[in-house]
Amino acid sequence: MERWTGPEGLSPQVTRLPRRSPISSKPAGWEDGAPHRPLQHTSPSGHHSRTRAHTRPHRQDPLKKPRDKVAVGLGSARSSTTTHLVQPEVGNVESNPGGPQQWGRLQLSLQYDSGSQQIRVGLKQAVDLRARGPGDTADPYACVSLSTQPGHRHETKAHRGTLNPVFDETCCFRIPPAELPQTTLQVRLLDSRCFSQHEPLGELSLPLGAIDLRHVLELWHQLGPPGTTKAEQTGELCFSLQYVPGSGRLTVVVLEARGLSPGLAEPYVKVQLMLNQRKWKRRKTSARKSTATPYFNEAFTFLVPFSQIQSVDLVLAVWARGLRLRNAPVGKVVLGARASGQPLQHWADMLAHARRPVTQWHRLQPPRDVDQALALQPRLHLPLPGS
């Protein structure tokens, strides 16, 4: 057979495939750090055609990335990122009108009556509170006080399982007009705990001298972090309540106290029942010596008919012997239908869960404020027959 030699002066083009190295497992044409590219040849028509490098299927090196995945440098990643898609942590956000709220907001109203010299504080609601305990919820309540009246404060009812409580409660403080510029309204929001110390959620300090109180104001205020307002150390008392409607047995178990002044000696607790704002029955625990955290664990039972349970006030008072060697009340707690805040909530829980003891800690209130709120009247001594 005759071999074709092509046009005169030209010889046919021959493509030589690269030989596979007997030592290297990579096909020829692979360089260090660069993938293999198949060789190309030019057809007689002038077009490029791709020639397969070898007949075996191509196996990708497991140490190499696929060609369609391109590594992106830090510069390109930074240029394609928008700041509004990144949400910073809550603790690093500065309070500003357009940013997220860190500790929540509080809506309240203020009204001052110059005739009666009273300021009326209306607690409306709070939103976006920050839960600090386990879980994503809290049992918040508010505590309102004035800087010039440390012993007088108002507590709202606790709202279970919410970070957006609606209070709708109003309290009044008597304050002369001359003291308004030096007075600061303090509102503390706390998480109610039954067996541990209440956890602060946020605080608000509002100087009354910087507010125009000639008109009724209703504004939203940003809450600050907890701890900016110094809490009053008046001591706390823990006790349980149990009521059986059928027999009318009201059982009070005085458990313990804490946070009392170290200078007090032999503290004890008086438990007193009042009926229709008059002293009715009373009992007391034994004294504990040389301790600011006395443990009592003593139970008292009173017979209160179900028809009178709404007319009864329960007063627990911590007494101790002070520096003058005289017994004096340290602080008091009032529970009943006329109470407010945590004591009212404790009383309502006792009635809602009949026959089951309900235990809770309570902060002690100044004795004089409690007596004024109850308007205590002396017990009437009726003449006995034959006297």
Side-chain angles (χ1 to χ4, degrees), residues 61-126:
D61 192 343
L63 301 179
K64 301 297 181 179
K65 295 183 179 180
R67 288 175 52 85
D68 55 348
K69 294 183 179 180
V70 181
V72 181
L74 294 178
S76 59
R78 188 179 296 111
S79 61
S80 62
T81 304
T82 55
T83 57
H84 69 275
L85 296 178
V86 180
Q87 182 177 0
E89 295 183 1
V90 178
N92 298 329
V93 178
E94 296 181 359
S95 58
N96 57 81
Q101 306 297 336
Q102 180 178 0
W103 302 103
R105 295 184 298 159
L106 176 66
Q107 184 187 25
L108 56 83
S109 63
L110 296 175
Q111 181 182 5
Y112 184 73
D113 187 359
S114 58
S116 59
Q117 297 184 357
Q118 286 188 345
I119 184 170
R120 188 182 183 91
V121 182
L123 294 169
K124 302 299 182 180
Q125 59 181 325

Short mmCIF file of all heavy atoms in Angstrom, two decimals, residues 61-126:
data_model
loop_
_atom_site.label_atom_id
_atom_site.label_comp_id
_atom_site.label_asym_id
_atom_site.label_seq_id
_atom_site.Cartn_x
_atom_site.Cartn_y
_atom_site.Cartn_z
N ASP A 61 -7.27 14.22 42.56
CA ASP A 61 -6.43 14.09 43.74
C ASP A 61 -7.24 14.50 44.98
O ASP A 61 -7.81 15.60 45.00
CB ASP A 61 -5.20 14.97 43.60
CG ASP A 61 -4.15 14.64 44.66
OD1 ASP A 61 -4.49 13.99 45.67
OD2 ASP A 61 -3.01 15.06 44.47
N PRO A 62 -7.33 13.68 45.99
CA PRO A 62 -8.14 14.06 47.17
C PRO A 62 -7.59 15.27 47.89
O PRO A 62 -8.29 15.90 48.64
CB PRO A 62 -8.08 12.81 48.05
CG PRO A 62 -6.86 12.08 47.61
CD PRO A 62 -6.73 12.35 46.14
N LEU A 63 -6.32 15.61 47.68
CA LEU A 63 -5.74 16.76 48.35
C LEU A 63 -6.01 18.05 47.61
O LEU A 63 -5.68 19.12 48.10
CB LEU A 63 -4.23 16.58 48.53
CG LEU A 63 -3.81 15.36 49.34
CD1 LEU A 63 -2.29 15.27 49.42
CD2 LEU A 63 -4.40 15.43 50.74
N LYS A 64 -6.55 17.97 46.42
CA LYS A 64 -6.79 19.15 45.60
C LYS A 64 -8.27 19.50 45.61
O LYS A 64 -9.13 18.62 45.67
CB LYS A 64 -6.33 18.93 44.16
CG LYS A 64 -4.85 18.60 44.05
CD LYS A 64 -3.99 19.75 44.54
CE LYS A 64 -2.51 19.42 44.41
NZ LYS A 64 -1.67 20.54 44.87
N LYS A 65 -8.60 20.81 45.55
CA LYS A 65 -9.98 21.26 45.48
C LYS A 65 -10.47 21.21 44.04
O LYS A 65 -9.69 21.37 43.10
CB LYS A 65 -10.10 22.70 46.00
CG LYS A 65 -9.78 22.82 47.48
CD LYS A 65 -9.98 24.25 47.92
CE LYS A 65 -9.70 24.39 49.41
NZ LYS A 65 -9.90 25.77 49.88
N PRO A 66 -11.77 21.03 43.86
CA PRO A 66 -12.30 21.06 42.48
C PRO A 66 -12.06 22.44 41.88
O PRO A 66 -11.97 23.44 42.54
CB PRO A 66 -13.81 20.77 42.67
CG PRO A 66 -13.91 20.12 44.01
CD PRO A 66 -12.79 20.66 44.82
N ARG A 67 -12.01 22.42 40.53
CA ARG A 67 -11.70 23.66 39.80
C ARG A 67 -12.81 24.68 39.92
O ARG A 67 -12.59 25.87 39.85
CB ARG A 67 -11.45 23.34 38.32
CG ARG A 67 -10.14 22.64 38.06
CD ARG A 67 -10.03 22.24 36.61
NE ARG A 67 -10.28 23.37 35.72
CZ ARG A 67 -9.35 24.28 35.36
NH1 ARG A 67 -8.12 24.16 35.84
NH2 ARG A 67 -9.65 25.26 34.56
N ASP A 68 -14.07 24.21 40.14
CA ASP A 68 -15.18 25.16 40.19
C ASP A 68 -15.30 25.85 41.53
O ASP A 68 -16.10 26.75 41.70
CB ASP A 68 -16.51 24.46 39.87
CG ASP A 68 -16.75 23.29 40.79
OD1 ASP A 68 -15.79 22.89 41.49
OD2 ASP A 68 -17.88 22.77 40.79
N LYS A 69 -14.52 25.45 42.54
CA LYS A 69 -14.52 26.11 43.83
C LYS A 69 -13.32 27.02 43.91
O LYS A 69 -12.18 26.55 43.93
CB LYS A 69 -14.48 25.10 44.99
CG LYS A 69 -15.73 24.24 45.06
CD LYS A 69 -15.68 23.32 46.25
CE LYS A 69 -16.94 22.48 46.33
NZ LYS A 69 -16.92 21.57 47.49
N VAL A 70 -13.55 28.29 43.92
CA VAL A 70 -12.47 29.27 43.92
C VAL A 70 -12.31 29.81 45.32
O VAL A 70 -13.29 30.22 45.96
CB VAL A 70 -12.78 30.42 42.93
CG1 VAL A 70 -11.63 31.41 42.91
CG2 VAL A 70 -13.03 29.85 41.54
N ALA A 71 -11.11 29.81 45.83
CA ALA A 71 -10.84 30.35 47.16
C ALA A 71 -11.00 31.86 47.13
O ALA A 71 -10.51 32.54 46.24
CB ALA A 71 -9.43 29.98 47.60
N VAL A 72 -11.73 32.37 48.13
CA VAL A 72 -12.02 33.79 48.21
C VAL A 72 -11.16 34.39 49.30
O VAL A 72 -11.15 33.88 50.42
CB VAL A 72 -13.51 34.05 48.51
CG1 VAL A 72 -13.78 35.55 48.56
CG2 VAL A 72 -14.37 33.39 47.45
N GLY A 73 -10.47 35.43 49.01
CA GLY A 73 -9.63 36.09 49.99
C GLY A 73 -10.43 36.91 50.96
O GLY A 73 -11.63 37.15 50.77
N LEU A 74 -9.78 37.37 52.04
CA LEU A 74 -10.46 38.16 53.05
C LEU A 74 -10.93 39.49 52.49
O LEU A 74 -11.94 40.03 52.91
CB LEU A 74 -9.53 38.38 54.25
CG LEU A 74 -9.17 37.12 55.03
CD1 LEU A 74 -8.21 37.48 56.16
CD2 LEU A 74 -10.40 36.44 55.56
N GLY A 75 -10.19 40.01 51.55
CA GLY A 75 -10.59 41.31 51.01
C GLY A 75 -11.89 41.25 50.26
O GLY A 75 -12.76 42.10 50.41
N SER A 76 -12.07 40.22 49.45
CA SER A 76 -13.32 40.11 48.71
C SER A 76 -14.47 39.78 49.62
O SER A 76 -15.60 40.22 49.40
CB SER A 76 -13.18 39.04 47.62
OG SER A 76 -12.86 37.79 48.20
N ALA A 77 -14.23 38.98 50.69
CA ALA A 77 -15.32 38.65 51.61
C ALA A 77 -15.76 39.88 52.38
O ALA A 77 -16.93 40.08 52.64
CB ALA A 77 -14.87 37.57 52.59
N ARG A 78 -14.84 40.75 52.74
CA ARG A 78 -15.19 41.94 53.49
C ARG A 78 -15.96 42.92 52.62
O ARG A 78 -16.84 43.62 53.06
CB ARG A 78 -13.94 42.60 54.04
CG ARG A 78 -14.20 43.74 54.99
CD ARG A 78 -12.90 44.33 55.51
NE ARG A 78 -12.18 43.36 56.32
CZ ARG A 78 -11.04 42.81 55.93
NH1 ARG A 78 -10.50 43.12 54.77
NH2 ARG A 78 -10.43 41.93 56.71
N SER A 79 -15.62 42.96 51.35
CA SER A 79 -16.28 43.92 50.48
C SER A 79 -17.69 43.51 50.12
O SER A 79 -18.50 44.34 49.74
CB SER A 79 -15.46 44.09 49.19
OG SER A 79 -15.39 42.83 48.50
N SER A 80 -18.01 42.21 50.25
CA SER A 80 -19.34 41.75 49.89
C SER A 80 -20.25 41.58 51.09
O SER A 80 -21.35 41.08 50.95
CB SER A 80 -19.23 40.42 49.14
OG SER A 80 -18.65 39.44 49.97
N THR A 81 -19.81 41.95 52.29
CA THR A 81 -20.61 41.79 53.51
C THR A 81 -21.24 43.12 53.88
O THR A 81 -20.57 44.15 53.91
CB THR A 81 -19.74 41.29 54.66
OG1 THR A 81 -19.10 40.07 54.25
CG2 THR A 81 -20.57 41.03 55.89
N THR A 82 -22.53 43.08 54.17
CA THR A 82 -23.24 44.29 54.59
C THR A 82 -23.40 44.27 56.09
O THR A 82 -23.65 43.23 56.70
CB THR A 82 -24.62 44.36 53.92
OG1 THR A 82 -25.31 43.16 54.21
CG2 THR A 82 -24.47 44.53 52.41
N THR A 83 -23.27 45.43 56.70
CA THR A 83 -23.30 45.51 58.16
C THR A 83 -24.68 45.26 58.73
O THR A 83 -24.81 44.81 59.86
CB THR A 83 -22.81 46.89 58.62
OG1 THR A 83 -23.63 47.89 58.00
CG2 THR A 83 -21.36 47.10 58.22
N HIS A 84 -25.73 45.56 58.01
CA HIS A 84 -27.06 45.40 58.57
C HIS A 84 -27.48 43.95 58.65
O HIS A 84 -28.50 43.63 59.27
CB HIS A 84 -28.09 46.18 57.73
CG HIS A 84 -28.32 45.60 56.36
ND1 HIS A 84 -27.50 45.89 55.28
CD2 HIS A 84 -29.25 44.72 55.90
CE1 HIS A 84 -27.94 45.25 54.20
NE2 HIS A 84 -28.98 44.53 54.56
N LEU A 85 -26.72 43.04 58.09
CA LEU A 85 -27.04 41.63 58.21
C LEU A 85 -26.42 41.00 59.44
O LEU A 85 -26.71 39.87 59.78
CB LEU A 85 -26.55 40.87 56.96
CG LEU A 85 -27.23 41.24 55.65
CD1 LEU A 85 -26.62 40.45 54.51
CD2 LEU A 85 -28.73 41.02 55.72
N VAL A 86 -25.53 41.70 60.09
CA VAL A 86 -24.84 41.17 61.26
C VAL A 86 -25.50 41.76 62.50
O VAL A 86 -25.59 42.97 62.65
CB VAL A 86 -23.34 41.52 61.23
CG1 VAL A 86 -22.65 40.96 62.45
CG2 VAL A 86 -22.72 40.98 59.96
N GLN A 87 -25.98 40.89 63.40
CA GLN A 87 -26.62 41.34 64.63
C GLN A 87 -25.66 41.16 65.78
O GLN A 87 -25.29 40.04 66.12
CB GLN A 87 -27.89 40.53 64.90
CG GLN A 87 -28.61 41.00 66.16
CD GLN A 87 -29.88 40.24 66.37
OE1 GLN A 87 -30.22 39.38 65.59
NE2 GLN A 87 -30.59 40.54 67.44
N PRO A 88 -25.18 42.23 66.40
CA PRO A 88 -24.23 42.09 67.50
C PRO A 88 -24.91 41.53 68.73
O PRO A 88 -26.13 41.45 68.82
CB PRO A 88 -23.76 43.53 67.73
CG PRO A 88 -24.88 44.37 67.24
CD PRO A 88 -25.50 43.61 66.10
N GLU A 89 -24.07 41.13 69.70
CA GLU A 89 -24.61 40.62 70.95
C GLU A 89 -25.31 41.71 71.72
O GLU A 89 -25.00 42.89 71.59
CB GLU A 89 -23.47 40.04 71.81
CG GLU A 89 -22.81 38.82 71.16
CD GLU A 89 -21.75 38.24 72.05
OE1 GLU A 89 -21.56 38.80 73.15
OE2 GLU A 89 -21.12 37.24 71.67
N VAL A 90 -26.27 41.28 72.56
CA VAL A 90 -27.08 42.26 73.27
C VAL A 90 -26.23 43.07 74.23
O VAL A 90 -26.43 44.27 74.43
CB VAL A 90 -28.22 41.54 74.02
CG1 VAL A 90 -29.04 42.53 74.81
CG2 VAL A 90 -29.09 40.80 73.04
N GLY A 91 -25.25 42.44 74.84
CA GLY A 91 -24.44 43.14 75.82
C GLY A 91 -23.53 44.19 75.22
O GLY A 91 -23.01 45.05 75.93
N ASN A 92 -23.29 44.16 73.89
CA ASN A 92 -22.40 45.11 73.27
C ASN A 92 -23.13 46.21 72.53
O ASN A 92 -22.51 47.01 71.82
CB ASN A 92 -21.48 44.38 72.27
CG ASN A 92 -20.61 43.36 72.96
OD1 ASN A 92 -20.25 43.54 74.12
ND2 ASN A 92 -20.25 42.29 72.27
N VAL A 93 -24.42 46.25 72.60
CA VAL A 93 -25.19 47.26 71.88
C VAL A 93 -25.33 48.49 72.74
O VAL A 93 -25.73 48.42 73.89
CB VAL A 93 -26.59 46.71 71.52
CG1 VAL A 93 -27.39 47.78 70.82
CG2 VAL A 93 -26.45 45.49 70.62
N GLU A 94 -25.00 49.63 72.21
CA GLU A 94 -25.17 50.87 72.91
C GLU A 94 -26.59 51.37 72.69
O GLU A 94 -27.17 51.21 71.62
CB GLU A 94 -24.17 51.90 72.41
CG GLU A 94 -22.73 51.52 72.69
CD GLU A 94 -21.76 52.57 72.22
OE1 GLU A 94 -22.23 53.58 71.66
OE2 GLU A 94 -20.55 52.40 72.42
N SER A 95 -27.14 51.97 73.74
CA SER A 95 -28.51 52.46 73.64
C SER A 95 -28.55 53.65 72.70
O SER A 95 -27.87 54.65 72.90
CB SER A 95 -29.02 52.87 75.02
OG SER A 95 -28.20 53.86 75.59
N ASN A 96 -29.37 53.54 71.70
CA ASN A 96 -29.59 54.63 70.76
C ASN A 96 -31.00 54.54 70.26
O ASN A 96 -31.61 53.47 70.30
CB ASN A 96 -28.57 54.58 69.61
CG ASN A 96 -28.61 53.26 68.86
OD1 ASN A 96 -29.46 53.07 68.02
ND2 ASN A 96 -27.69 52.33 69.20
N PRO A 97 -31.56 55.63 69.74
CA PRO A 97 -32.97 55.61 69.37
C PRO A 97 -33.29 54.58 68.31
O PRO A 97 -34.37 54.03 68.28
CB PRO A 97 -33.22 57.05 68.88
CG PRO A 97 -32.14 57.86 69.53
CD PRO A 97 -30.96 56.96 69.63
N GLY A 98 -32.36 54.29 67.39
CA GLY A 98 -32.68 53.39 66.30
C GLY A 98 -32.24 51.97 66.52
O GLY A 98 -32.52 51.10 65.72
N GLY A 99 -31.48 51.68 67.58
CA GLY A 99 -30.95 50.36 67.81
C GLY A 99 -31.86 49.53 68.69
O GLY A 99 -32.85 50.00 69.23
N PRO A 100 -31.52 48.25 68.84
CA PRO A 100 -32.33 47.38 69.70
C PRO A 100 -32.20 47.77 71.16
O PRO A 100 -31.18 48.28 71.60
CB PRO A 100 -31.71 45.99 69.44
CG PRO A 100 -30.33 46.28 68.96
CD PRO A 100 -30.39 47.58 68.22
N GLN A 101 -33.25 47.51 71.92
CA GLN A 101 -33.27 47.87 73.33
C GLN A 101 -32.56 46.80 74.12
O GLN A 101 -32.80 45.61 73.95
CB GLN A 101 -34.72 48.02 73.80
CG GLN A 101 -35.55 48.98 72.97
CD GLN A 101 -35.03 50.40 73.03
OE1 GLN A 101 -34.35 50.76 73.98
NE2 GLN A 101 -35.32 51.19 72.04
N GLN A 102 -31.66 47.22 75.01
CA GLN A 102 -30.85 46.27 75.75
C GLN A 102 -31.58 45.72 76.96
O GLN A 102 -31.61 44.52 77.19
CB GLN A 102 -29.55 46.93 76.17
CG GLN A 102 -28.62 46.02 76.93
CD GLN A 102 -27.34 46.69 77.29
OE1 GLN A 102 -27.15 47.87 76.96
NE2 GLN A 102 -26.46 46.00 77.99
N TRP A 103 -32.15 46.60 77.78
CA TRP A 103 -32.80 46.17 79.02
C TRP A 103 -34.30 46.35 78.97
O TRP A 103 -34.98 46.14 79.98
CB TRP A 103 -32.23 46.95 80.20
CG TRP A 103 -30.75 46.77 80.34
CD1 TRP A 103 -29.79 47.66 79.98
CD2 TRP A 103 -30.08 45.62 80.85
NE1 TRP A 103 -28.55 47.13 80.24
CE2 TRP A 103 -28.68 45.90 80.77
CE3 TRP A 103 -30.49 44.40 81.36
CZ2 TRP A 103 -27.73 44.98 81.18
CZ3 TRP A 103 -29.53 43.49 81.77
CH2 TRP A 103 -28.17 43.78 81.69
N GLY A 104 -34.84 46.75 77.87
CA GLY A 104 -36.27 46.95 77.74
C GLY A 104 -36.68 48.39 77.96
O GLY A 104 -35.85 49.27 78.23
N ARG A 105 -37.95 48.65 77.83
CA ARG A 105 -38.50 49.99 77.99
C ARG A 105 -39.70 49.94 78.94
O ARG A 105 -40.36 48.91 79.08
CB ARG A 105 -38.93 50.58 76.65
CG ARG A 105 -37.78 50.81 75.68
CD ARG A 105 -38.28 51.48 74.41
NE ARG A 105 -39.24 50.62 73.72
CZ ARG A 105 -40.14 51.07 72.83
NH1 ARG A 105 -40.20 52.36 72.56
NH2 ARG A 105 -40.95 50.24 72.24
N LEU A 106 -39.96 51.08 79.56
CA LEU A 106 -41.04 51.19 80.55
C LEU A 106 -41.89 52.40 80.21
O LEU A 106 -41.37 53.49 79.97
CB LEU A 106 -40.46 51.33 81.96
CG LEU A 106 -41.46 51.54 83.09
CD1 LEU A 106 -42.33 50.31 83.28
CD2 LEU A 106 -40.73 51.88 84.39
N GLN A 107 -43.19 52.20 80.22
CA GLN A 107 -44.14 53.29 79.99
C GLN A 107 -44.80 53.66 81.31
O GLN A 107 -45.38 52.80 81.98
CB GLN A 107 -45.21 52.88 78.97
CG GLN A 107 -46.17 54.01 78.61
CD GLN A 107 -47.31 53.54 77.73
OE1 GLN A 107 -47.67 52.37 77.75
NE2 GLN A 107 -47.88 54.45 76.96
N LEU A 108 -44.69 54.92 81.67
CA LEU A 108 -45.32 55.39 82.90
C LEU A 108 -45.85 56.80 82.71
O LEU A 108 -45.44 57.53 81.80
CB LEU A 108 -44.34 55.33 84.08
CG LEU A 108 -42.99 56.07 83.98
CD1 LEU A 108 -43.11 57.53 84.35
CD2 LEU A 108 -41.98 55.40 84.91
N SER A 109 -46.74 57.19 83.61
CA SER A 109 -47.34 58.53 83.58
C SER A 109 -47.07 59.22 84.90
O SER A 109 -46.97 58.56 85.96
CB SER A 109 -48.86 58.44 83.32
OG SER A 109 -49.51 57.75 84.38
N LEU A 110 -46.93 60.54 84.86
CA LEU A 110 -46.67 61.35 86.04
C LEU A 110 -47.67 62.50 86.09
O LEU A 110 -47.96 63.14 85.08
CB LEU A 110 -45.24 61.91 86.02
CG LEU A 110 -44.10 60.89 86.09
CD1 LEU A 110 -42.77 61.60 85.93
CD2 LEU A 110 -44.15 60.10 87.39
N GLN A 111 -48.19 62.74 87.29
CA GLN A 111 -49.12 63.85 87.51
C GLN A 111 -48.92 64.36 88.94
O GLN A 111 -48.96 63.59 89.89
CB GLN A 111 -50.57 63.38 87.31
CG GLN A 111 -51.60 64.49 87.49
CD GLN A 111 -53.02 64.00 87.32
OE1 GLN A 111 -53.25 62.80 87.15
NE2 GLN A 111 -53.97 64.91 87.35
N TYR A 112 -48.71 65.67 89.05
CA TYR A 112 -48.48 66.27 90.36
C TYR A 112 -49.64 67.20 90.70
O TYR A 112 -50.03 68.07 89.91
CB TYR A 112 -47.17 67.06 90.38
CG TYR A 112 -46.84 67.63 91.74
CD1 TYR A 112 -46.42 66.81 92.78
CD2 TYR A 112 -46.98 68.99 92.00
CE1 TYR A 112 -46.13 67.32 94.03
CE2 TYR A 112 -46.69 69.52 93.24
CZ TYR A 112 -46.26 68.68 94.26
OH TYR A 112 -45.98 69.19 95.51
N ASP A 113 -50.20 67.01 91.90
CA ASP A 113 -51.29 67.84 92.39
C ASP A 113 -50.72 68.77 93.46
O ASP A 113 -50.35 68.33 94.56
CB ASP A 113 -52.39 66.95 92.98
CG ASP A 113 -53.63 67.75 93.37
OD1 ASP A 113 -53.62 68.99 93.21
OD2 ASP A 113 -54.61 67.13 93.84
N SER A 114 -50.61 70.04 93.13
CA SER A 114 -50.04 71.00 94.07
C SER A 114 -50.94 71.24 95.27
O SER A 114 -50.46 71.62 96.34
CB SER A 114 -49.76 72.33 93.35
OG SER A 114 -50.96 72.84 92.78
N GLY A 115 -52.24 71.02 95.12
CA GLY A 115 -53.15 71.22 96.24
C GLY A 115 -52.92 70.21 97.35
O GLY A 115 -52.77 70.56 98.52
N SER A 116 -52.88 68.92 96.99
CA SER A 116 -52.65 67.87 97.98
C SER A 116 -51.17 67.53 98.14
O SER A 116 -50.82 66.71 99.00
CB SER A 116 -53.40 66.59 97.57
OG SER A 116 -52.97 66.14 96.30
N GLN A 117 -50.32 68.16 97.34
CA GLN A 117 -48.88 67.92 97.37
C GLN A 117 -48.56 66.43 97.20
O GLN A 117 -47.76 65.86 97.93
CB GLN A 117 -48.26 68.46 98.66
CG GLN A 117 -48.39 69.97 98.83
CD GLN A 117 -47.69 70.49 100.06
OE1 GLN A 117 -47.13 69.71 100.85
NE2 GLN A 117 -47.68 71.81 100.25
N GLN A 118 -49.18 65.84 96.22
CA GLN A 118 -48.96 64.43 95.92
C GLN A 118 -48.60 64.26 94.46
O GLN A 118 -49.16 64.95 93.59
CB GLN A 118 -50.21 63.60 96.23
CG GLN A 118 -50.47 63.38 97.71
CD GLN A 118 -51.60 62.39 97.94
OE1 GLN A 118 -52.37 62.09 97.03
NE2 GLN A 118 -51.72 61.89 99.17
N ILE A 119 -47.68 63.35 94.21
CA ILE A 119 -47.34 62.97 92.84
C ILE A 119 -47.92 61.60 92.57
O ILE A 119 -47.79 60.67 93.37
CB ILE A 119 -45.81 62.99 92.62
CG1 ILE A 119 -45.51 62.69 91.15
CG2 ILE A 119 -45.08 62.02 93.54
CD1 ILE A 119 -44.07 62.92 90.77
N ARG A 120 -48.58 61.51 91.46
CA ARG A 120 -49.27 60.28 91.07
C ARG A 120 -48.46 59.59 89.97
O ARG A 120 -48.27 60.15 88.88
CB ARG A 120 -50.68 60.61 90.58
CG ARG A 120 -51.58 59.42 90.32
CD ARG A 120 -52.93 59.88 89.80
NE ARG A 120 -53.86 58.79 89.61
CZ ARG A 120 -54.71 58.35 90.53
NH1 ARG A 120 -54.72 58.94 91.72
NH2 ARG A 120 -55.52 57.35 90.28
N VAL A 121 -47.98 58.39 90.26
CA VAL A 121 -47.15 57.63 89.32
C VAL A 121 -47.98 56.47 88.79
O VAL A 121 -48.44 55.62 89.56
CB VAL A 121 -45.87 57.11 90.00
CG1 VAL A 121 -45.00 56.37 88.99
CG2 VAL A 121 -45.10 58.26 90.64
N GLY A 122 -48.17 56.45 87.48
CA GLY A 122 -48.93 55.38 86.84
C GLY A 122 -48.00 54.46 86.07
O GLY A 122 -47.36 54.87 85.11
N LEU A 123 -47.91 53.23 86.49
CA LEU A 123 -47.11 52.23 85.79
C LEU A 123 -47.99 51.54 84.76
O LEU A 123 -48.92 50.81 85.11
CB LEU A 123 -46.54 51.21 86.78
CG LEU A 123 -45.52 51.76 87.78
CD1 LEU A 123 -45.24 50.74 88.86
CD2 LEU A 123 -44.25 52.15 87.08
N LYS A 124 -47.68 51.77 83.49
CA LYS A 124 -48.50 51.22 82.41
C LYS A 124 -48.05 49.82 82.02
O LYS A 124 -48.73 48.85 82.25
CB LYS A 124 -48.47 52.16 81.21
CG LYS A 124 -48.94 53.58 81.53
CD LYS A 124 -50.38 53.60 82.01
CE LYS A 124 -50.83 55.03 82.29
NZ LYS A 124 -52.23 55.08 82.77
N GLN A 125 -46.87 49.74 81.39
CA GLN A 125 -46.39 48.45 80.89
C GLN A 125 -44.90 48.53 80.62
O GLN A 125 -44.30 49.61 80.61
CB GLN A 125 -47.12 48.09 79.58
CG GLN A 125 -46.94 49.12 78.48
CD GLN A 125 -47.66 48.76 77.21
OE1 GLN A 125 -47.77 47.59 76.85
NE2 GLN A 125 -48.18 49.76 76.52
N ALA A 126 -44.31 47.37 80.43
CA ALA A 126 -42.90 47.25 80.05
C ALA A 126 -42.80 46.27 78.89
O ALA A 126 -43.60 45.33 78.78
CB ALA A 126 -42.06 46.77 81.23
#
